[in-house]
């Protein structure tokens, strides 16, 4: 099945520059419907207010971290089906294991490149 | 060992005033009191203990002087503050630079539709590379945050030293006032004085101020 390039993607990061980088890279990959949130709390309220098809989130944020957001998403019947990619500088095995146990769809370590982003998105969405 | 009620009362008083966080001065006071109470028939073992206590008191006095000479008050008020301000400035400068790079990259992207597909592909590869490189700002920002946290731990430790040795440091400061180098000609800074690196926001001059200063020589 072809990937819907107009799917609604929520990107979450407390670094405005990183949000801008991700937006630009996703646009270069031809995704057009991108929304931003600057921490887990803001992301969760956006997810509960509107329909999103995909979440890409940083880990290290306040007041709600990426892993807390992931757990909230997976615990919510109306949200738990949404693919969730963690994109973070946290590269220890414990972090990856914790994210996997919380139900992460894939995991990208910063700094990352466009090819890695495309590969990880494809692994969740299928080729595009 | 038989408990001396007077000594016990003194310990209880210190504990009531300061909990278990006992000042060095208070330890000295207790040791002094023990020495004073050792009157009457002094045996050879008492003498040995007396000597040990005396050398302990000397050691504490020396340690106090040496710690005071390190001037932990200056470490906190000058060096730690400067380090923290400089790190904040690094974060701001890299964020500004990254955003400027991104502004220019987005301008390049905006004209990509106006060029041949072959050129378009090359521009796309180049702009993607720039975006990837810009992720450095996030990583450096997080590393700097770690350093700031480490500095905070050092500051807390220095605070502990200042709390324990405050009186001793004040005495040392009074006895050893900071030497201020007065240059022979006060208006001419030394080459060393002129090497201070980039200035923090609000300090130093901007280009307009430098132009005005230069123009004032004409």
């Amino acid at each position: 099945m072809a990937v819907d390039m107009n799917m609604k993607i929520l990107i979450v990061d407390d670094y405005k520059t990183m949000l801008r980088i991700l937006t630009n890279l996703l646009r270069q990959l031809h995704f057009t419907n991108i929304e931003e949130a600057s921490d887990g709390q803001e992301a969760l309220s956006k997810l509960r207010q509107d329909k999103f098809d995909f979440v890409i989130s940083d880990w290290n944020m306040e007041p709600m971290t990426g892993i807390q957001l992931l757990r909230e998403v997976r615990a919510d019947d109306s949200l738990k089906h949404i693919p969730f990619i963690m994109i973070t500088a946290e590269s220890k095995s414990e972090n990856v294991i914790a994210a996997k146990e919380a139900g992460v769809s894939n995991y990208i370590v910063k700094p990352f490149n466009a090819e890695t982003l495309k590969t990880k998105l494809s692994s969740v969405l299928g080729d595009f | 060992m038989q408990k001396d009620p007077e000594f016990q009362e003194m310990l209880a008083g210190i504990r009531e005033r300061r909990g278990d966080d006992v000042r060095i001065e208070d330890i000295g006071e207790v040791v002094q009191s023990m020495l004073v109470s050792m009157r009457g028939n002094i045996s050879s073992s008492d003498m040995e203990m007396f000597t040990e206590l005396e050398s302990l008191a000397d050691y504490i006095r020396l340690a106090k002087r040496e710690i005071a000479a390190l001037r932990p008050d200056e470490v906190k008020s000058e060096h730690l503050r400067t380090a923290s301000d400089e790190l904040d400035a690094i974060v701001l400068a890299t964020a500004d630079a990254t955003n400027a790079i991104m502004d220019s990259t987005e301008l390049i992207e905006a004209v990509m539709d106006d060029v041949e597909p072959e050129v378009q592909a090359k521009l796309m590869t180049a702009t993607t590379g720039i975006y990837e490189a810009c992720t450095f700002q996030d990583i450096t920002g997080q590393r700097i945050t770690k350093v700031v946290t480490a500095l905070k731990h050092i500051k807390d430790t220095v605070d502990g030293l200042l709390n324990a040795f405050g009186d001793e440091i004040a005495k040392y400061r009074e006895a050893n006032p900071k030497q201020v180098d007065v240059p022979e000609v006060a208006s001419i800074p030394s080459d060393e004085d002129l090497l201070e690196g980039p200035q923090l926001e609000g300090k130093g001059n901007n280009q307009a101020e430098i132009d005005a200063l230069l123009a004032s020589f004409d």
Side-chain angles (χ1 to χ4, degrees):
Chain A
M1 200 171 82
V3 174
D4 175 11
M5 302 315 283
N6 197 40
M7 69 164 59
K8 195 161 186 178
I9 301 177
L10 180 62
I11 54 174
V12 194
D13 203 303
D14 55 350
Y15 269 80
K16 286 202 183 311
T17 312
M18 184 51 70
L19 288 174
R20 197 171 165 189
I21 291 167
L22 268 172
T23 300
N24 283 322
L25 288 174
L26 288 168
R27 287 206 175 118
Q28 288 195 338
L29 292 173
H30 308 295
F31 289 97
T32 52
N33 197 355
I34 304 154
E35 197 154 321
E36 299 177 353
S38 57
D39 69 79
Q41 194 67 62
E42 189 190 344
L44 193 59
S45 36
K46 285 194 172 192
L47 285 164
R48 284 178 174 153
Q49 278 167 16
D50 208 348
K51 184 185 170 299
F52 284 89
D53 302 299
F54 207 98
V55 178
I56 300 175
S57 176
D58 183 28
W59 183 308
N60 196 345
M61 300 174 290
E62 288 180 349
M64 184 188 281
T65 64
I67 191 83
Q68 288 169 330
L69 171 65
L70 173 59
R71 288 186 186 123
E72 291 284 341
V73 166
R74 292 294 177 248
D76 187 321
D77 280 343
S78 62
L79 303 175
K80 64 182 177 189
H81 63 283
I82 302 176
F84 191 116
I85 286 186
M86 193 73 84
I87 186 159
T88 173
E90 305 291 345
S91 57
K92 286 185 294 185
S93 304
E94 300 94 286
N95 291 74
V96 182
I97 292 165
K100 191 66 195 164
E101 284 174 352
V104 80
S105 309
N106 219 316
Y107 198 102
I108 300 175
V109 177
K110 292 176 183 171
F112 62 97
N113 59 34
E115 191 53 42
T116 305
L117 180 64
K118 185 169 191 256
T119 306
K120 299 298 180 189
L121 285 169
S122 296
S123 76
V124 178
L125 299 169
D127 286 338
F128 57 90
Chain B
M1 187 177 144
Q2 199 182 351
K3 290 183 176 174
D4 179 344
E6 197 181 326
F7 177 63
Q8 290 301 317
E9 197 180 322
M10 180 181 291
L11 283 181
I14 291 171
R15 188 167 285 119
E16 195 179 315
R17 285 199 310 276
R18 306 195 58 85
D20 287 327
D21 186 15
V22 181
R23 289 160 56 89
I24 299 298
E25 282 76 8
D26 292 335
I27 296 173
E29 195 184 314
V30 172
V31 171
Q32 176 97 30
S33 154
M34 285 173 75
L35 293 177
V36 168
S37 69
M38 291 175 68
R39 287 180 291 232
N41 294 330
I42 297 174
S43 66
S44 63
S45 63
D46 287 338
M47 272 311 291
E48 200 178 318
M49 190 169 134
F50 179 87
T51 311
E52 287 290 330
L53 284 172
E54 198 171 47
S55 71
L56 178 63
D58 284 345
Y59 185 79
I60 291 172
R61 267 194 296 273
L62 179 66
K64 279 168 63 180
R65 274 201 301 273
E66 286 182 353
I67 288 169
L70 292 174
R71 297 299 307 272
D73 53 334
E74 273 188 13
V75 171
K76 184 186 168 191
S77 66
E78 292 177 24
H79 306 301
L80 286 180
R81 185 178 299 169
T82 303
S84 197
D85 289 347
E86 294 286 347
L87 290 172
D88 287 343
I90 289 172
V91 172
L92 284 177
T94 52
D96 285 349
T98 310
N99 282 315
I101 292 166
M102 304 257 290
D103 287 343
S104 300
T105 313
E106 284 169 4
L107 281 177
I108 295 168
E109 272 192 314
V111 300
M112 281 204 299
D113 288 342
D114 304 336
V115 297
E116 297 296 315
E118 196 182 323
V119 179
Q120 201 177 80
K122 284 180 180 168
L123 287 176
M124 177 68 93
T125 305
T127 52
T128 302
I130 294 171
Y131 290 138
E132 288 169 357
C134 284
T135 59
F136 87 93
Q137 198 249 322
D138 183 24
I139 304 297
T140 52
Q142 292 192 46
R143 289 200 188 284
I144 289 170
T145 303
K146 277 189 183 178
V147 176
V148 170
T149 306
L151 280 177
K152 192 182 173 307
H153 283 303
I154 295 170
K155 183 184 159 293
D156 291 345
T157 306
V158 171
D159 277 340
L161 277 176
L162 289 174
N163 191 34
F165 295 95
D167 297 343
E168 195 69 29
I169 292 164
K171 271 190 260 170
Y172 182 88
R173 195 170 45 222
E174 212 169 288
N176 301 276
K178 208 172 179 180
Q179 297 296 314
V180 179
D181 291 333
V182 181
E184 285 176 20
V185 182
S187 60
I188 302 175
S190 69
D191 282 358
E192 226 174 48
D193 293 335
L194 293 172
L195 278 177
E196 215 182 89
Q199 297 298 299
L200 293 172
E201 190 67 30
K203 296 187 176 174
N205 294 297
N206 60 32
Q207 187 58 52
E209 288 164 339
I210 287 170
D211 291 345
L213 184 59
L214 286 175
S216 72
F217 286 89
D218 294 338

